[in-house]
Amino acid sequence: MKKITAVITGVGKYVPDFVLTNAMLEEMVDTNDEWITTRTGIKERRILKGEGKGTSYMAIKAAEQLLQKKNLDPKEIDLVIVSTATPDMQAASTAVYTATQIGATNAFGFDLEAACSSFLYGMSVASSYIESGRYKKVLLIGADKCSSMIDYTDRATCIIFGDGAGAVLFEPNEEGLGLQDEILKSDGIGREFLQVKASGSLYPVTKEAIDKRENFVFQDGKTVFKNAVFNMADVTVKILERNNLSNENINWLTAHQANKRIIDATANRINLDSSKVMMNIEKYGNTTSATIPLLLADYEKQLKKGDNIVFAAFGGGFTWGAIYFKWSYNS
Ligand code: UT7
């Protein structure tokens, strides 16, 4: 019997209509377009507006686009995973609600939270279910309404984050395509440098916490930046070495979009030409769990069957990793 590998067979995306530009942020906090552009590469981000719209709103839209593109009956889906750092609410899973709303009535669902590495970790989990032969169709959605946890008076964070969602379908393959290798890492030393302090069981949201603005993201940007540059490049180099890959036989670097300088640093470490580096941070900013699937959606038409892709991410926690993946279709 041939070995079963896990491939991505379809991609969908959704970004909200509202565009928050650097010029608009200049009116809100003490910042300027030049600083934001040179320090981060971001020009604008999308923000989800409107009452009653949470992360699931975008997850559903991205999944529906995928279902439509693939002409797939949602009843065929076995499992829905929503990778997110901003679930609709505590306890009631965003993935479960999403599955029901898209008509995936035969699927079970759960959320997966690993900050900006949520989607990368989700790729590993989805692939494992496929490789084991247990399930045939796993829908992995990366979605975050980052604006729900951002303090728009804090210039250190409000210029970075945006909202969005991307969805991919994982299915079995017998040609050896899809996920080839992974290095996933985490280190709890990172907790103090990137967190929403009042959001869980340790420090529940109280009036005092809100008064201290502890219900918003806090980030020690410099420390996170240093760790991101070192660790993302480190796992990328290691996964290349382990698989006898070089800059010549890699077709794409698909890296979490947190800061253009972090992505450039990783590409430089492996001498990868910028034409092979997927980039859309200028349009969407850091959408946390959605950056990687949004890249796949934006670059889908350029991807060819057999392309060697290296995925990489770094995020809060700390969490990070790299995945070596062979693309499986031409669109
Ligand atoms: O998504 C996963 C995890 N997140 C990340 O990977 C993000 C990692 N961190 C970063 O991307 C960067 O650290 C930031 C973009 C957040 C900040 O860039 P930086 O080059 O590390 O700037 P900094 O925090 O060291 O600040 C440099 C200067 C400071 O002024 P002084 O002390 O040199 O006078 C800041 O006060 O820039 C100032 N500054 C700003 N100026 C204009 C900080 N934020 C802003 C701003 N506009 N928005």
Side-chain angles (χ1 to χ4, degrees), residues 30-31 35 39-40 116 155 159-160 194 219 221-222 224-225 256 258-259 261-262 286 314-315:
D30 180 15
T31 192
W35 192 96
R39 298 278 178 142
T40 71
C116 291
R155 69 176 184 173
I159 56 126
I160 299 169
L194 176 50
Q219 178 174 236
K222 230 179 196 27
V224 177
F225 184 89
H256 170 55
N259 186 317
R261 289 186 292 145
I262 300 173
N286 180 350
F314 183 90

Side-chain angles (χ1 to χ4, degrees), residues 56-242:
S56 64
Y57 179 86
M58 298 183 291
I60 291 163
K61 294 257 188 209
E64 284 175 345
Q65 193 198 58
L66 186 154
L67 291 172
Q68 200 194 354
K69 273 168 73 179
K70 283 198 63 75
N71 197 18
L72 177 71
D73 179 354
K75 291 192 176 58
E76 288 182 35
I77 297 169
D78 301 304
L79 164 61
V80 176
I81 303 171
V82 173
S83 291
T84 184
T86 53
D88 280 2
M89 56 182 75
Q90 296 280 345
S93 161
T94 302
V96 170
Y97 181 73
T98 300
T100 300
Q101 292 301 309
I102 64 171
T105 47
N106 293 316
F108 71 105
F110 60 84
D111 297 348
L112 191 160
E113 206 279 307
C116 291
S117 305
S118 300
F119 190 83
L120 193 86
Y121 282 20
M123 289 178 70
S124 169
V125 174
S127 296
S128 301
Y129 274 122
I130 297 288
E131 288 159 1
S132 69
R134 194 172 301 181
Y135 300 113
K136 298 269 183 290
K137 286 186 170 43
V138 178
L139 181 64
L140 174 65
I141 306 169
D144 266 304
K145 185 183 172 185
C146 297
S147 61
S148 66
M149 55 175 182
I150 294 301
D151 178 355
Y152 284 93
T153 66
D154 176 11
R155 69 176 184 173
T157 52
C158 73
I159 56 126
I160 299 169
F161 293 95
D163 302 338
V168 302
L169 186 70
F170 275 88
E171 291 188 85
N173 179 272
E174 290 191 356
E175 299 170 273
L177 300 169
L179 195 143
Q180 307 291 307
D181 194 14
E182 67 178 31
I183 301 174
L184 302 183
K185 311 276 279 183
S186 61
D187 186 346
I189 196 175
R191 174 147 97 166
E192 66 181 284
F193 304 113
L194 176 50
Q195 57 173 233
V196 182
K197 187 171 180 181
S199 59
S201 58
L202 187 58
Y203 299 103
V205 187
T206 58
K207 184 172 178 313
E208 290 70 31
I210 290 171
D211 289 345
K212 287 198 252 170
R213 307 186 87 74
E214 288 172 349
N215 55 321
F216 293 120
V217 170
F218 161 80
Q219 178 174 236
D220 172 350
K222 230 179 196 27
T223 304
V224 177
F225 184 89
K226 274 191 215 148
N227 280 276
V229 166
F230 177 81
N231 288 308
M232 213 161 89
D234 183 59
V235 286
T236 303
V237 167
K238 285 194 173 122
I239 206 147
L240 257 62
E241 284 173 359
R242 215 156 84 169

